[in-house]
Amino acid sequence: MKTVFSPLHNRRTATTELDGGILIAPHEKPSRAETILGRVKQEQLGEVLPPREYGLGPVLRVHTQDYVDFLRVSWADWIAEGKPGEAISAVWPGRGMRHRVPKDIDGRLGYYSFGAETSITEGTWDAVCASADVALTAQALVANGESAAFALCRPPGHHAHADLFGGYCFFNNAAISAQAFRDQGAKRVAVLDVDFHHGNGTQSIFYQRDDVMTISLHGDPDLVFPHFLGFEDETGEGPGEGFNLNLVYPPGTPFSVWLDGLETACARIAAWQPDALVIALGVDTFEDDPISFFKLRSADYLLMGERLGKLNLPTLFTMEGGYDVDAIGVNVVNVLKGFEQAR
Ligand code: OKS
Ligand code: MG
Ligand code: ZN
């Protein structure tokens, strides 16, 4: 399987994440991508390619123009106001307040985000654009006949809505890619999110549509991020009714239990016979992940990949979460190797 990777991910080097009332060094850090790349090479998974540049056209198929414009200028606007730290929102439009875009940067940061853990920094825009290019380049490989490809995206994307950033995500690389498959003629596309967290952005973007099915397995949002979306009674809306599936699990969930959910997800996908599959691949389901509560072990990722491979669909993997950097390379590449073994 080919991997697409851009060194421009390094333009995102945030130094602050608001966590537990203090600013910590972000969990979502450059060494994550470098470690995965190292393991891809060590295991000789396949060729590593740089991305092509696609510009904002495919991004604007799922994100709003005003949101994209905001992201492009947010750092410059923050600096122009003479702010001393990284750009972090401290205010949001609460219940009963107006949902309109304010002029000042503090107001716009709140309007376009849903959390304070994700700071905007000098190179963030460059890295975000490169991450989407990585996804689109890998998507094109699959659209042009490769059986599968790995988009080593950083920053990740699955939490980003059409006009919201948060959860370390800015552009929703999985959603952008799913839409690209549609725009290139695929009739039905499934997005399966195996990251520990709910893929709230992806769900939201396709919630009213019957051409892109979204499924996510994740930790119970009653207990964990993103807190306000991802419950099992969210099944889609209007024409999208029945095209969203959330599979929610409690703290301590082992692979044996999680695999039941994957089986349910795979059965639903297989029955629908999509033309393409996008896997939002996070490995923060790992037992030693610092921010999550599932108990998957490194060997389990081989079996996960094997089950995904058995779907026998043209498959794009987009990299999402996973924060135990010591294990992230092994776990990610285990999924991809298991997948290939099943083909
Ligand atoms: C806040 C924790 C924020 C968690 C963000 C989750 C990022 C992630 N203290 N998404 O898949 O891994
Ligand atoms: Mg998930
Ligand atoms: Zn995650």
Side-chain angles (χ1 to χ4, degrees):
M1 183 183 319
K2 289 177 180 158
T3 295
V4 183
F5 170 83
S6 169
L8 285 178
H9 81 83
N10 261 312
R11 296 283 293 130
R12 176 145 178 86
T13 50
T15 60
T16 57
E17 170 179 342
L18 182 59
D19 181 54
I22 58 169
L23 293 175
I24 63 166
H27 292 289
E28 203 295 284
K29 53 192 174 192
S31 59
R32 297 179 58 251
E34 299 296 333
T35 302
I36 296 165
L37 179 67
R39 184 69 179 177
V40 162
K41 290 178 175 168
Q42 185 185 5
E43 290 292 299
Q44 301 182 317
L45 184 72
E47 211 179 323
V48 178
L49 310 170
R52 263 198 53 190
E53 285 184 27
Y54 287 84
L56 293 171
V59 172
L60 289 166
R61 296 285 294 139
V62 309
H63 291 288
T64 65
Q65 182 77 56
D66 62 311
Y67 172 67
V68 172
D69 290 343
F70 157 77
L71 281 182
R72 190 197 294 110
V73 302
S74 55
W75 178 250
D77 288 2
W78 179 259
I79 287 305
E81 289 294 313
K83 311 276 195 184
E86 296 181 338
I88 302 176
S89 190
V91 64
W92 286 275
R95 275 181 293 284
M97 299 176 87
R98 295 281 294 276
H99 287 251
R100 63 184 287 286
V101 188
K103 286 203 182 71
D104 78 301
I105 185 60
D106 293 294
R108 277 181 294 142
L109 274 168
Y111 182 85
Y112 290 115
S113 69
F114 62 90
E117 72 294 317
T118 307
S119 49
I120 292 180
T121 63
E122 185 180 4
T124 293
W125 170 255
D126 295 345
V128 165
C129 291
S131 194
D133 282 335
V134 163
L136 286 162
T137 303
Q139 183 276 331
L141 290 174
V142 176
N144 292 323
E146 299 272 345
S147 145
F150 175 40
L152 212 179
C153 296
R154 184 181 171 269
H158 72 147
H159 292 304
H161 290 227
D163 62 352
L164 289 173
F165 72 92
Y168 319 150
C169 300
F170 300 90
F171 284 170
N172 192 319
N173 304 308
I176 291 166
S177 305
Q179 183 64 48
F181 277 119
R182 284 284 293 117
D183 290 341
Q184 293 161 23
K187 290 275 177 287
R188 292 180 299 282
V189 180
V191 183
L192 173 57
D193 189 316
V194 298
D195 184 280
F196 169 78
H197 300 93
H198 176 230
N200 55 292
T202 320
Q203 169 176 313
S204 158
I205 286 167
F206 298 114
Y207 204 60
Q208 308 193 333
R209 289 170 52 169
D210 60 6
D211 58 332
V212 179
M213 171 184 286
T214 48
I215 303 181
S216 177
L217 290 82
H218 48 266
D220 187 349
D222 221 7
L223 305 173
V224 74
F225 192 91
H227 307 287
F228 304 107
L229 206 65
F231 300 91
E232 291 191 339
D233 62 353
E234 298 158 15
T235 55
E237 211 168 74
E241 180 62 55
F243 292 90
N244 184 74
L245 177 63
N246 287 326
L247 299 161
V248 167
Y249 294 93
T253 296
F255 183 63
S256 57
V257 171
W258 188 94
L259 192 58
D260 267 359
L262 185 64
E263 197 50 54
T264 302
C266 287
R268 177 83 70 102
I269 291 166
W272 194 50
Q273 297 185 270
D275 303 301
L277 173 65
V278 179
I279 306 283
L281 175 59
V283 293
D284 37 12
T285 46
F286 185 53
E287 56 182 345
D288 294 331
D289 192 87
I291 68 169
S292 307
F293 59 52
F294 289 171
K295 295 291 166 226
L296 273 62
R297 306 198 171 134
S298 288
D300 298 331
Y301 292 97
L302 284 163
L303 301 173
M304 182 191 299
E306 204 178 293
R307 183 62 190 93
L308 296 172
K310 283 194 182 132
L311 282 169
N312 239 310
L313 292 166
T315 303
L316 168 68
F317 291 89
T318 62
M319 192 62 220
E320 306 290 349
Y323 307 98
D324 181 354
V325 178
D326 292 338
I328 192 172
V330 170
N331 293 348
V332 167
V333 176
N334 274 1
V335 175
L336 304 175
K337 284 198 318 195
F339 180 93
E340 291 207 307
Q341 279 160 20
R343 306 289 259 194

